Amino acid sequence: MSIPLKRLIVGRPLRSDRLGEQMLPKRIALPVFASDPLSSVAYATQEILLVLTLGGLAYLHLAPWVGAGVVVLLAVVVLSYRQVVQAYPSGGGSYEVATRNLGPWAGLVVASALLVDYVMTVAVSVAAGVDNIISAVPSLGAHRVAVNLGFVALLTAMNLRGVRESGRLFAVPTYLFIAGVLAMVVTGLLQTAFGRAPVAESAGWQVHAEQGSAGLTGMALVLLMLRAFSSGCTALTGVEAISNGVPAFKPPKARNAATTMAVMGGLSIIMFAGITALALITDVRYAEDACRLVGFPGNCQTGSQRTVIAQVAAAVFGGTDTVMFFYIQAATALILILAANTAFNGFPLLSAILAEHRYLPRQLHTRGDRLAFSNGVIILAVIAATLIYAFEGSVTRLIQLYILGVFTSFTLSQTGMVRHWNRRLAAETDPRQRRRIHRSRLINAIGAGLTALVLGVVLVTKFSHGAYLVVIAMPVLYVMMLGIRRHYDRVARELRPQPGGIVLPSRTHAVVLVSQVHQPTLRALGYARATRPDTLTALTAEVSGEEVRTLRAEWEERRIPVPLTVLASPYRDITGSVLEYIACLHDEHPQDLIAVYIPEYVVGHWWENLLHNQSALRLKARLLFQRGVMVTSVPWQLDSSDRVPAHDDPRGAGSQVG
C-alpha cells in the first residue's frame, strides 16, 4: 500500500505515549463493546420463530416460554460477567479466568472458542445487516455477497484508525437503534393496550410444516423447543466482550466496565422481550423457505421475505413506506453491520494477549500506526470475508456455526469463577465477606449450569446443520497454539546464553561476491578491507567466459589489491557454486569465522525489482543456513531510492545485487 493511500485510510501515526488518550468513557464503550449483544435482538426472535414454524403454526404458542428462558439466561450471564470484570480487571476475560482457575488447557479451549466466535460475529452481523438493507431495497439481493464484502472492508478501515476514533463513529448508529427499537416497542404495546393491536403483513399466511415435523409430542416436542431456545440464545453473543476489553476503559476501569455491562444487559433484555412480544402480537409468519408460506406474494423461489423486525416495524408504524419504517430498517442494518465492531475489538485484544503468552505469533502483540492491534484486525477481516463468500452471505447458513464457541467460553469461565470463589472462601474469615462470596459463587454456579446445558443443546441440535465445522476448527486452533508455544519455548532454550560467555573465533575469512567492477563492488571491497580480516578473497562464478575475461581485465587495470577467485560453473548455477566454495572453506577452517559481503544496490520503485537479478536474495537465504558463516549486505542507493522518505516504509522498494 502506498504511503499517501495508507495515510488516507488509516490516518497519521500516533506516538506510543498517546495510548492513554485512546481510553474510552462509558458512553463510547457501550457502542464499541456492546453493539453485538444489543444488535442480536434484531434477529434472535426471528431465529426462534424459524425453528418453531418447522411444525407449521401449531407450536408458536411455545415462543413466549422460549423467550422467557433466553431472558433468564441473559440476566444470569450478565450478572456472572460483572463479577468476572471486578475479579479480573486486566482484560483477559474468560481466557484469564479459565487459565488461572482451571489450568492452561482450559484457557486455550476458551481462547480457541472465542477466536472462532469473533470470526462468526463479523460474518453473521454483516450478513444480517445486509439482509435488512435488502428488506428495504430488494433490488440489492442479486449483489448480496459484494455488499457484504464491501462492508467488511469498510469496518476494517475504520478499526485500523484506532479504537477511540471508530467508537465515535459507531456511537450514533447504536444509540439511534436503541431509541428506534424502544420507540417501536412502546408504540406497539400502547396500540395493543388501547385495543388497536398492530397486524403484520404476513398475519394471514399459513405455514406448511416440514416433513416429519408435524404432530410432535413427548421428547420430539421437547427437542424442538430446546432447538428454538438454542437459536434464541444468539441474543447472548458478545456479552463477554466487555470483560475482554476492561483495559480500554477510563479509570476506574473495573467499575466503569461493570456499569456498562449492566446497562447493556438491561437494554438487551428490554429490547429482546419487546420485539418478541410484538412479533407474537402482530402474528408474524416467517419460515426458512418462502415456498412454505401459503399466501406469500410473488415468486417464492426468487423473492425474499422481510425480516421479523421489518414486519413488526411496518405493522406498528403503518406500512413499508413510512419514515419510521425506513428509520428502523436503516438503524437495524447499521447496528448489525457495526456490531461486527465488537469482534474487531475483541479478536485483536485476545490475540495480543495470546501472543504475549507465546501462543500466537508475536506480531499480533504489536500495535499499528494508530495504536490498534492492526495485524489482528486484518487477519479477522480476511477470515470473515472468506466465510461470507463461501456461504454466499446467507444468515441462515452462517448462524448454524454461531454460539457454540460462545457457550464453550461461558461454561468454562463460570466454572473457573466457582473455583475462584472457593479459594477466596477458604482464606476469608470475615462473616460479612463470606456471605458476599457465597452469593457470588451461587450466581456463577447457576451460570455455569445453565450455559453448560445450552452448550449441550446447541451441540446436539446444530451439529448436523453446520456446527461440526466449529467442532473441527476449535481443536485445530488448540493444537496450533500449543505448537506455537512449544516452538517459542524451544527457541528460548536454544538462545539462552551458555555459562562462560562467548568463544571468539580464531580467525576471520572475508569473501566479497562480485559480478562486475562498479561502485557497489568497490564499496563492498573497501568495507571488507576496513574490517581487517585475516584473509580476503573476491569471488565470482564463471557463467560466461567473455564476462570473466572482461572482469579480469578491469580488475588488473584498476590494480585492486584483493585476489580474484573465479569459480567454474558449467551448469550456470551461481548459487550452488558459491555455496560449495563456502562449505569447503568452512571445512578447512572449522573454528574460524567466514564473513560473506554481498554488494547490492537499492531501488525505489517496486517495478525496478522485476528488472534486476534476484540471485542475491536466493544466495542470502541459502547462506543463512550455513553454520559459522555471517552475511553482510553492503548497499548502494540508486537515485530512485532518494524519492522514498527515510522515515517511511516504501514496501515497494528493494535491494538488488549488482
Side-chain angles (χ1 to χ4, degrees):
M1 182 185 295
S2 66
I3 298 303
L5 179 60
K6 181 180 178 181
R7 291 289 162 257
L8 177 65
I9 296 174
V10 178
R12 298 187 63 81
L14 296 177
R15 290 170 53 92
S16 297
D17 55 14
R18 294 184 61 185
L19 181 60
E21 299 175 17
Q22 299 294 301
M23 300 296 102
L24 303 174
K26 294 190 291 292
R27 68 179 185 280
I28 301 296
L30 181 68
V32 168
F33 291 109
S35 55
D36 181 20
L38 290 174
S39 68
S40 296
V41 303
Y43 55 82
T45 300
Q46 178 173 300
E47 293 304 313
I48 293 174
L49 297 182
L50 271 175
V51 175
L52 292 179
T53 53
L54 290 174
L57 301 179
Y59 307 117
L60 286 181
H61 67 279
L62 298 174
W65 300 103
V66 173
V70 172
V71 167
V72 170
L73 182 60
L74 179 56
V76 170
V77 170
V78 168
L79 287 174
S80 301
Y81 269 95
R82 274 174 53 85
Q83 298 187 154
V84 171
V85 164
Q86 292 165 341
Y88 295 94
S90 60
S94 299
Y95 166 71
E96 184 177 3
V97 172
T99 300
R100 289 196 182 186
N101 296 290
L102 302 177
W105 69 268
L108 283 187
V109 171
V110 168
S112 61
L114 285 175
L115 291 175
V116 170
D117 177 61
Y118 284 137
V119 172
M120 295 311 306
T121 295
V122 175
V124 172
S125 296
V126 172
V130 171
D131 261 8
N132 278 272
I133 293 175
I134 292 172
S135 289
V137 189
S139 59
L140 289 175
H143 309 287
R144 182 186 299 272
V145 174
V147 175
N148 272 278
L149 297 180
F151 277 117
V152 172
L154 177 63
L155 286 167
T156 304
M158 294 169 71
N159 277 279
L160 288 174
R161 295 185 71 88
V163 174
R164 187 180 179 89
E165 189 162 342
S166 64
R168 289 196 187 100
L169 292 171
F170 297 158
V172 174
T174 302
Y175 288 119
L176 286 176
F177 173 76
I178 294 171
V181 170
L182 292 178
M184 181 180 72
V185 169
V186 171
T187 303
L189 294 178
L190 285 176
Q191 289 173 350
T192 304
F194 285 105
R196 293 183 293 105
V199 179
E201 64 181 12
S202 60
W205 303 352
Q206 296 298 311
V207 183
H208 282 308
E210 280 198 356
Q211 186 176 2
S213 298
L216 298 178
T217 57
M219 196 62 192
L221 183 58
V222 172
L223 286 175
L224 181 71
M225 191 172 179
L226 288 176
R227 182 177 170 188
F229 174 65
S230 67
S231 293
C233 285
T234 53
L236 279 74
T237 56
V239 167
E240 82 292 338
I242 290 177
S243 67
N244 293 330
V246 177
F249 282 79
K250 283 189 171 182
K253 295 177 182 292
R255 190 173 71 185
N256 286 340
T259 302
T260 304
M261 182 164 282
V263 172
M264 177 270 294
L267 288 172
S268 296
I269 289 172
I270 291 170
M271 291 192 295
F272 170 73
I275 291 172
T276 303
L278 286 179
L280 297 174
I281 290 169
T282 59
D283 289 329
V284 169
R285 307 290 186 250
Y286 198 84
E288 183 175 340
D289 181 4
C291 292
R292 290 176 45 227
L293 297 171
V294 180
F296 180 78
N299 187 342
C300 65
Q301 299 286 349
T302 57
S304 58
Q305 310 165 69
R306 284 193 173 89
T307 59
V308 168
I309 195 170
Q311 293 189 48
V312 170
V316 170
F317 295 121
T320 58
D321 56 354
T322 60
V323 172
M324 285 304 296
F325 169 78
F326 283 105
Y327 171 91
I328 293 293
Q329 288 308 101
T332 302
L334 276 174
I335 194 174
L336 281 169
I337 292 169
L338 298 182
N341 195 59
T342 298
F344 272 107
N345 283 283
F347 184 97
L349 278 171
L350 179 59
S351 298
I353 293 171
L354 290 168
E356 186 179 9
H357 295 169
R358 302 197 301 275
Y359 288 115
L360 285 179
R362 301 301 289 269
Q363 295 91 326
L364 291 171
H365 188 60
T366 304
R367 293 183 182 271
D369 287 350
R370 302 288 293 182
L371 300 178
F373 294 110
S374 304
N375 292 328
V377 170
I378 293 170
I379 290 173
L380 173 62
V382 170
I383 300 174
T386 303
L387 270 178
I388 288 173
Y389 182 81
F391 286 85
E392 299 176 338
S394 169
V395 177
T396 304
R397 293 168 62 191
L398 287 167
I399 205 80
Q400 306 303 327
L401 282 68
Y402 212 11
I403 80 172
L404 186 62
V406 180
F407 280 92
T408 300
S409 65
F410 283 173
T411 302
L412 288 175
S413 172
Q414 299 314 305
T415 304
M417 284 300 295
V418 171
R419 181 168 289 187
H420 165 81
W421 295 124
N422 285 340
R423 283 204 299 266
R424 286 282 304 275
L425 201 59
E428 186 60 61
T429 57
D430 181 34
R432 184 177 178 182
Q433 289 297 322
R434 287 180 64 84
R435 285 195 299 272
R436 186 184 67 81
I437 293 173
H438 275 296
R439 184 173 62 252
S440 298
R441 185 177 64 173
L442 178 62
I443 292 172
N444 287 126
I446 293 172
L450 288 177
T451 53
L453 173 65
V454 175
L455 176 61
V457 171
V458 170
L459 191 58
V460 171
T461 59
K462 291 183 178 288
F463 185 84
S464 61
H465 296 275
Y468 68 90
L469 293 173
V470 177
V471 175
I472 295 172
M474 285 172 51
V476 168
L477 274 173
Y478 181 91
V479 172
M480 182 192 75
M481 288 189 287
L482 276 182
I484 291 173
R485 175 59 187 261
R486 290 195 189 102
H487 169 78
Y488 279 130
D489 289 345
R490 184 175 66 252
V491 169
R493 288 193 299 270
E494 288 184 19
L495 300 182
R496 190 176 297 123
Q498 298 297 322
I502 299 174
V503 178
L504 297 178
S506 303
R507 295 193 306 167
T508 301
H509 304 279
V511 177
V512 180
L513 303 184
V514 299
S515 59
Q516 55 184 306
V517 178
H518 53 18
Q519 295 274 44
T521 296
L522 296 177
R523 173 178 285 183
L525 288 168
Y527 184 78
R529 293 177 65 192
T531 61
R532 300 183 182 279
D534 294 284
T535 65
L536 174 58
T537 304
L539 190 66
T540 189
E542 184 178 2
V543 176
S544 167
E546 181 63 31
E547 290 180 358
V548 169
R549 285 190 290 273
T550 302
L551 177 62
R552 285 186 185 277
E554 293 183 3
W555 203 268
E556 294 173 359
E557 181 182 346
R558 287 182 172 272
R559 298 182 179 179
I560 298 174
V562 176
L564 176 63
T565 301
V566 179
L567 302 176
S569 183
Y571 297 103
R572 301 160 304 285
D573 181 12
I574 298 175
T575 302
S577 301
V578 172
L579 289 174
E580 185 179 353
Y581 177 87
I582 297 297
C584 291
L585 186 61
H586 183 264
D587 290 342
E588 294 175 7
H589 309 280
Q591 303 301 320
D592 298 347
L593 175 67
I594 300 171
V596 180
Y597 297 86
I598 303 179
E600 302 178 59
Y601 50 87
V602 180
V603 297
H605 303 292
W606 66 268
W607 51 265
E608 290 182 279
N609 291 329
L610 305 176
L611 305 178
H612 298 285
N613 191 4
Q614 297 288 315
S615 59
L617 298 177
R618 294 193 299 271
L619 188 56
K620 282 193 290 186
R622 297 286 297 276
L623 285 171
L624 290 175
F625 289 93
Q626 301 290 327
R627 294 185 181 275
V629 177
M630 298 185 66
V631 182
T632 302
S633 295
V634 184
W636 180 273
Q637 292 78 15
L638 296 180
D639 289 343
S640 63
S641 65
D642 294 338
R643 300 187 182 93
V644 180
H647 60 277
D648 281 330
D649 177 8
R651 301 291 180 185
S655 58
Q656 306 296 334
V657 68

